Structures are given as structure tokens and as C-alpha cells.
Amino acid sequence: MNLTVTDVVLTPVLVADPPLLNTQGVHQPYTPRLVVEVVTADGTTGVGETYGDTKYLELARPFAEKLKGRRVSELNALSALADEVAVDASRVSGQVDVGGLRGVQTADKLRLSVVSAFEVACLDALGKALGLPVHALLGGKVRDAVEYSAYLFYKWARHPEGVPAEQDDWGAALDPAGIVEQARRFTERYGFTSFKLKGGVFPPDEEVAAVRALAAAFPGHPLRLDPNGAWSVATSLEVAAEVGGLLEYLEDPALGTPAMAEVAAGTEVPLATNMCVTTFAEIEEAFRRDAVQVVLSDHHYWGGLRATQHLAALCAAFGVGVSMHSNTHLGISLTAMTHVASTVPNLHHACDTHYPWQSEDVLTARVPITGGRVAVPDGPGLGVELDRERLAFLHRRWLDDDGRLRDRDDAAALRVVDPKWVTPAVPRW
Ligand SMILES: O=C([O-])C(=O)C[C@H](O)[C@@H](O)C(=O)[O-]
Ligand SMILES: [Mg+2]
């Protein structure tokens, strides 16, 4: 068996995305993702997926060169290899990511997001070579299926007039009735039993009304609300007082650890985050100040599947809960998430996934979600197969783009209908 990496293929794609609203703006009609393939001397191919914006491609290309000649089993060497890749200072001027709502951008965060795709691809190749599923390489699954939650968004019925886009069949959701209707469709189509509402879009009282409407329509079902840090501490506490009793957790009501700590001190509602704790360096302060009670892991943020396990172990040690965050992603990442989630004993919340919003994929078969769950694959590697024609089609779309869609920018997408729109300053309410 020769596990040496002889080739790495990077394929940026543009994938259809519905007009989903968040506090920064609206999703563009197509979003960039990067498909990573590592090929070993034996001809085994492993696949991974991550963000496809230019700043990630700039790092993925030199990293791919460095990986050649290493073995797919050298997973512990990946971070050090990534550290050798220089990050352009203009990419990390301390600003919040323009289109990802993932907190302040740093060189380490960019590198870790790139490493994550390569780690998954190496694990996939290693698993195929050894005849073992990825979860077995991670120490083995402790559950046969992973539960996901329905990710509810305020949305327009269609992208703005004149903007080339694929039409989705979810309709508009701009008020409590629309959100409840969307939740019903999620349950009918996928069997989800827990719901997360992406907030920070409308004034808090409208989003409180949507939460109440969901609670009335789905009594006893776990609900979460996530305004992506759009509220002040005072507003966060008001919302917590009004609907906290209906929520499994309140996610990133206010931006940053100090504000989250203040909110946490004033409410019994557990606070979750995928914004103030997204690297190991951010854990100490947040845990010491009891700012967050649930950390949303995300292998794209933390540097891979094994880093996700390390995070979960730390959370267990400090009595902090674990859930899982999602941005727009394809079936490769959903499957990778499912493998790692199956190995984490202390994962007691349904994971987030954007996958139902993606009508397009690069796999030969869509990943089935039934009863709100994804079955953990037991075949070798991840257990997915690339559809070469679809991959080429979505890559062609990326090649044909004039550059406007290659970098996600939710504020730019909203400016199409509101030319004065700029990313709102926080706290917005
Ligand atoms: O949980 C979260 O904060 C997210 O999923 C952030 C994402 O960027 C989501 O809000 C989106 O894609 O609009
Ligand atoms: Mg969030």
C-alpha cells in the first residue's frame, strides 16, 4: 500500500443558493465552495470540501503543493504544513467576515478552514485504502445516525428581478406565518423535529413573535434563535425574558465574549456560539467567564474532524455543551460532519445543516435525511462518490463568472434592491 500523495486537484465551484436573509444582507444566487481531491500513488482518491472564496483558494493552492510527497496518514503534520503558507495581511485586518458571519477573521482561522478540507480528503483516502469508514479512523461511532435541525430562514420568494438565479420551491417567509409554513415543509420533506431560526433580520419583537408561533405550532419541539450578534446586551436580556422558556438555547444574541458573558449572567437561558468561540485560543476566556453554555463545533472552523473531537473533549471537561454549526455546504461536508458527529459522546443537540437549501450537489446521490437524521455510512472512507459531470458543470459556472460571485458578500447582494444598504453596525437593536 503506497499512501504517498502524488496529486492534489482543487475544483472551485459555484452552487445555487436561495435568497436567505441574515443580519448582514441576503445570500447571493450562487455561493463558492472548494472541492479538494487528494490522489495517492496507489490511485486512491479522497475528497474534502471547504469555503471557496478567493482568500481560501489563495491558501489552498500552495498548501496543495506542499502536501504532495507526504502520506495521507500524516494528519498530525497538516497544521505545521499550513503554518508555512503565508496569509496576505489584507485578508485579516481584524474585520468580521463580509459574508460568513463567522466572527473576526484571522490568519489562523483562514488556514484552519483550508486544512479542514485536506484533512477530510486524507481521511477519506486513508479509509478507502484500509477498507474502513472515516468514523472508524476517528475511534469509532457511538451512534448509527446523527440528528440535524431544520435551519429556518427569513427569505424572499425569489432573487431580485434581473439577477440570474435558480428558482427554489420554498416560497417567501417574511413573517411568523411564513416561518411556521417553512418549518412544516421541513418536517414533511425531512422529518426534522427541532428548529433553528436565523434571526437578526427584523426587529426583535417580530422574531419573538415567530418563535412564539413556532412553539404554538410545534409544542415541545426544541427551538433555537440566532441573530448573529445583532443585539445589545439589554435587548438580548429582554428577548431571553420573553421567549427564553421556549428555547433550547439562544445563539450569539450579542457579539463577542464580554457581551455574551453579561447576557449569560442575567439569564438562565443557555447561550450557544459559533462566533465568539471559534478557535482554541478563544476558549479560555469564554469558559472562565461562563459566557457560553454550548459551543457549536464546525470542522471547517476548527481545522478538521479530529480538532472537532478535541473541542468536544474540552467542552466535556468544562461542563459545556456541544452542538454543530453549518454554513452553505455540499454533501461531502454533510457526510464528514455526520462521521465526526457520530463519534462525539457528548453531542446532545441536533446539528445545524444548510444542506436542504442546496438543490445542487457534486455527489452521484444526494445524502438522504429521514426522520431528521443522516445515517452514518459504514463503507470505506467517507462513503461518497463524486459526480464528475456535475462537478464539471458547477466548476464551469465558476470559470464563467466575472468575479462578482466568487467571494460571498451578503451585503452586496442586498444592495441590488437597496442601493444604500451597508452591513449594519452592531448592536443593530
Ligand atoms: O449559525 C450561524 O451563525 C450561521 O449559520 C452563519 C451563516 O453564515 C448563516 O447565517 C448564513 O449563511 O446566512
Ligand atoms: Mg450561529
Side-chain angles (χ1 to χ4, degrees):
M1 185 183 309
N2 189 339
L3 299 175
T4 307
V5 176
T6 51
D7 199 12
V8 182
V9 185
L10 302 179
T11 314
V13 293
L14 278 177
V15 191
D17 213 9
L20 307 177
L21 295 157
N22 60 39
T23 199
Q24 290 192 342
V26 65
H27 286 208
Q28 291 173 304
Y30 300 99
T31 203
R33 296 295 288 173
L34 173 65
V35 176
V36 172
E37 295 173 74
V38 297
V39 186
T40 67
D42 282 349
T44 306
T45 298
V47 295
E49 173 197 341
T50 190
Y51 299 93
D53 308 63
T54 313
K55 61 193 170 197
Y56 299 99
L57 296 182
E58 283 170 358
L59 302 186
R61 290 190 183 111
F63 186 82
E65 290 310 311
K66 287 185 184 295
L67 196 65
K68 288 180 195 166
R70 312 296 292 241
R71 288 185 303 277
V72 291
S73 53
E74 292 181 69
L75 301 170
N76 291 330
L78 294 178
S79 299
L81 216 54
D83 286 345
E84 295 172 16
V85 176
V87 175
D88 183 339
S90 69
R91 301 291 187 199
V92 290
S93 47
Q95 77 277 37
V96 172
D97 193 16
V98 287
L101 296 162
R102 59 175 300 188
V104 173
Q105 196 82 88
T106 67
D108 272 351
K109 290 183 188 178
L110 287 177
R111 287 199 192 95
L112 290 167
S113 292
V114 170
V115 166
S116 70
F118 286 88
E119 191 232 32
V120 169
C122 286
L123 282 165
D124 185 31
L126 187 58
K128 284 175 178 162
L130 298 173
L132 289 172
V134 165
H135 68 75
L137 303 180
L138 298 173
K141 62 182 180 178
V142 294
R143 53 184 72 84
D144 292 323
V146 171
E147 193 185 351
Y148 288 87
S149 64
Y151 202 151
L152 311 178
F153 274 85
Y154 290 108
K155 76 179 282 292
W156 297 330
R158 54 188 60 78
H159 285 283
E161 195 71 35
V163 173
E166 314 302 313
Q167 180 57 44
D168 71 81
D169 64 354
W170 289 87
L174 295 164
D175 56 18
I179 289 294
V180 168
E181 177 54 25
Q182 189 184 91
R184 272 197 212 293
R185 286 194 190 187
F186 266 110
T187 57
E188 281 160 23
R189 292 179 185 186
Y190 301 100
F192 292 113
T193 57
S194 67
F195 304 95
K196 159 167 165 168
L197 175 59
K198 172 57 46 167
V201 176
F202 293 117
D205 55 340
E206 293 184 39
E207 298 183 353
V208 161
V211 169
R212 287 197 206 284
L214 283 169
F218 301 94
H221 290 247
L223 303 176
R224 305 128 184 214
L225 176 59
D226 174 15
N228 281 113
W231 301 337
S232 66
V233 169
T235 302
S236 303
L237 288 171
E238 278 163 32
V239 173
E242 284 195 54
V243 286
L246 303 175
L247 296 177
E248 177 187 14
Y249 52 70
L250 184 56
E251 189 172 318
D252 287 308
L255 198 63
T257 293
M260 290 283 280
E262 265 191 79
V263 179
T267 178
E268 294 294 305
V269 186
L271 301 188
T273 188
N274 64 271
M275 296 185 82
C276 67
V277 180
T278 62
T279 59
F280 288 100
E282 290 164 331
I283 287 179
E284 198 265 344
E285 185 192 357
F287 286 13
R288 186 169 38 78
R289 299 179 71 167
D290 198 18
V292 297
Q293 289 68 54
V294 179
V295 174
L296 276 72
S297 64
D298 179 330
H299 73 274
H300 307 92
Y301 281 15
W302 291 83
L305 305 187
R306 291 166 328 115
T308 304
Q309 291 182 306
H310 299 163
L311 167 66
L314 270 168
C315 288
F318 285 89
V320 171
V322 181
S323 187
M324 199 180 277
H325 164 265
S326 154
N327 269 138
T328 303
H329 63 85
L330 298 167
I332 300 170
S333 277
L334 179 60
T335 307
M337 289 157 70
T338 301
H339 275 281
V340 69
S342 80
T343 70
V344 173
N346 52 318
L347 180 74
H348 301 308
H349 304 279
C351 301
D352 289 351
T353 177
H354 272 247
Y355 192 64
W357 293 114
Q358 264 47 74
S359 55
E360 300 180 325
D361 204 348
V362 294
L363 301 181
T364 50
R366 278 190 74 78
V367 180
I369 303 176
T370 44
R373 284 160 203 273
V374 174
V376 183
D378 286 322
L382 284 175
V384 300
E385 199 188 326
L386 282 179
D387 180 333
R388 297 272 161 204
E389 268 181 43
R390 288 303 294 165
L391 185 62
F393 175 80
L394 300 177
H395 179 52
R396 168 56 52 199
R397 189 188 278 151
W398 183 87
L399 288 172
D400 289 345
D401 179 60
D402 60 9
R404 260 181 289 183
L405 296 170
R406 289 188 185 181
D407 296 291
R408 177 178 164 182
D409 189 341
D410 299 5
L414 200 82
R415 272 194 291 280
V416 174
V417 292
D418 180 355
K420 292 207 177 71
W421 180 266
V422 287
T423 304
V426 283
R428 195 171 163 191
W429 287 286

